[in-house]
Amino acid sequence: MIRFDIISAIPDLLTSPLSHSIMQRAVDKGLLDVQVHDLRSYGLGRYKQIDDYQYGGGAGMVLTPGPLDTIISELKNQRTYDEVIYMTPDGVTYNQSIANRLSLHGNIMIICGHYKGIDQRIRDIHVTCEISIGDYVLSGGELPAAILVDSIGRLIPGVLNNESSALFDSHQDGLLAPPIYTRPAEFKGHVVPEVLLSGNDALIEAWREKHSKSTQKSEE
Ligand code: ADE
């Protein structure tokens, strides 16, 4: 069982991606718990302010430390977190081996940035791990956080059945999955490779191995 506490200024962005299919089933089975906390409700003053201009000038607002510190501290008072992760384009680039490592934890907190990002002092005081999902900039950390939860959630024992076990996923063995086919055996003149229809498990395995690509991809 892994519990995620996600702090977000736009919680709705997280609800849909995590409430269908395998993730919803993991929640229903009690193997995954995802709690989303609305940063805005911790905002300051009448307008529940959560952001401000940056010192030294420059475009873009920064999430102020007060509301973030309050909610993070409240959560930390309730349980011990194995990691407090900040989703940011300048973090370490996410991959399968980071997902594998994080899947061994019980409690993970994720902070979603917005606008220009969060005040550095929150990173200094609370954050234990900074993760980027790739070298491009998104409007916020919610979609990256959903990617983290999905990729970690499917690794929790019992979430996938044996047949589709995450051990056989692309990337787990340095290989990408071979081509896959389902019925019909012929589609628009394109036929399924004969060997896959042969029923010969050894030949099929050899074919799949041969057609698996290495994950050592070139850049372009
Ligand atoms: N927030 C904005 N862009 C991001 C990225 N590429 N990875 C993680 N968090 C982000």
Side-chain angles (χ1 to χ4, degrees):
M1 153 72 145
I2 303 184
R3 175 181 166 120
F4 287 93
D5 285 284
I6 308 179
I7 301 170
S8 161
I10 312 180
D12 283 355
L13 276 176
L14 281 155
T15 325
S16 179
L18 298 175
S19 49
H20 298 280
S21 179
I22 293 169
M23 289 307 109
Q24 184 60 49
R25 244 184 295 139
V27 170
D28 293 343
K29 283 187 188 169
L31 298 170
L32 177 68
D33 186 3
V34 184
Q35 299 295 327
V36 183
H37 306 273
D38 186 0
L39 180 62
R40 180 69 62 181
S41 59
Y42 289 76
L44 304 174
R46 208 170 130 204
Y47 297 105
K48 298 278 177 201
Q49 191 178 350
I50 54 170
D51 58 349
D52 212 333
Y53 297 102
Q54 56 176 310
Y55 277 121
M61 304 294 274
V62 180
L63 290 178
T64 55
L68 276 168
D69 181 63
T70 306
I71 183 170
I72 295 169
S73 303
E74 235 175 59
L75 289 169
K76 279 183 167 177
N77 282 337
Q78 290 163 29
R79 54 184 46 77
T80 304
Y81 288 91
D82 300 295
E83 295 281 6
V84 176
I85 301 171
Y86 173 46
M87 304 309 305
T88 173
D90 56 11
V92 295
T93 307
Y94 194 54
N95 61 24
Q96 190 65 52
S97 85
I98 299 175
N100 291 348
R101 180 176 67 76
L102 293 175
S103 75
L104 303 175
H105 290 325
N107 292 299
I108 297 174
M109 192 190 304
I110 304 180
I111 303 167
C112 303
H114 251 279
Y115 316 114
K116 220 40 200 172
I118 65 176
D119 189 285
Q120 180 61 35
R121 287 159 295 182
I122 291 296
R123 297 167 86 155
D124 297 341
I125 296 168
H126 291 295
V127 171
T128 61
C129 174
E130 304 193 333
I131 294 180
S132 162
I133 59 154
D135 292 341
Y136 43 85
V137 178
L138 298 162
S139 326
E142 283 77 9
L143 298 177
I147 285 170
L148 228 69
V149 174
D150 187 303
S151 55
I152 294 167
R154 59 187 283 109
L155 298 172
I156 303 171
V159 168
L160 299 181
N161 55 33
N162 275 345
E163 216 171 281
S164 51
S165 160
L167 288 175
F168 304 117
D169 279 351
S170 286
H171 291 289
Q172 284 296 11
D173 53 3
L175 292 174
L176 297 173
I180 52 171
Y181 300 87
T182 184
R183 284 187 287 190
E186 187 197 326
F187 182 72
K188 293 193 168 179
H190 295 251
V191 293
V192 173
E194 195 68 42
V195 57
L196 297 179
L197 310 175
S198 70
N200 184 325
D201 289 343
L203 281 181
I204 292 172
E205 199 43 48
W207 183 90
R208 285 184 171 152
E209 214 166 284
K210 183 170 168 222
H211 289 83
S212 297
K213 292 195 192 80
S214 161
T215 51
Q216 309 301 313
K217 288 173 284 191
S218 60
E219 274 280 293
E220 225 61 35

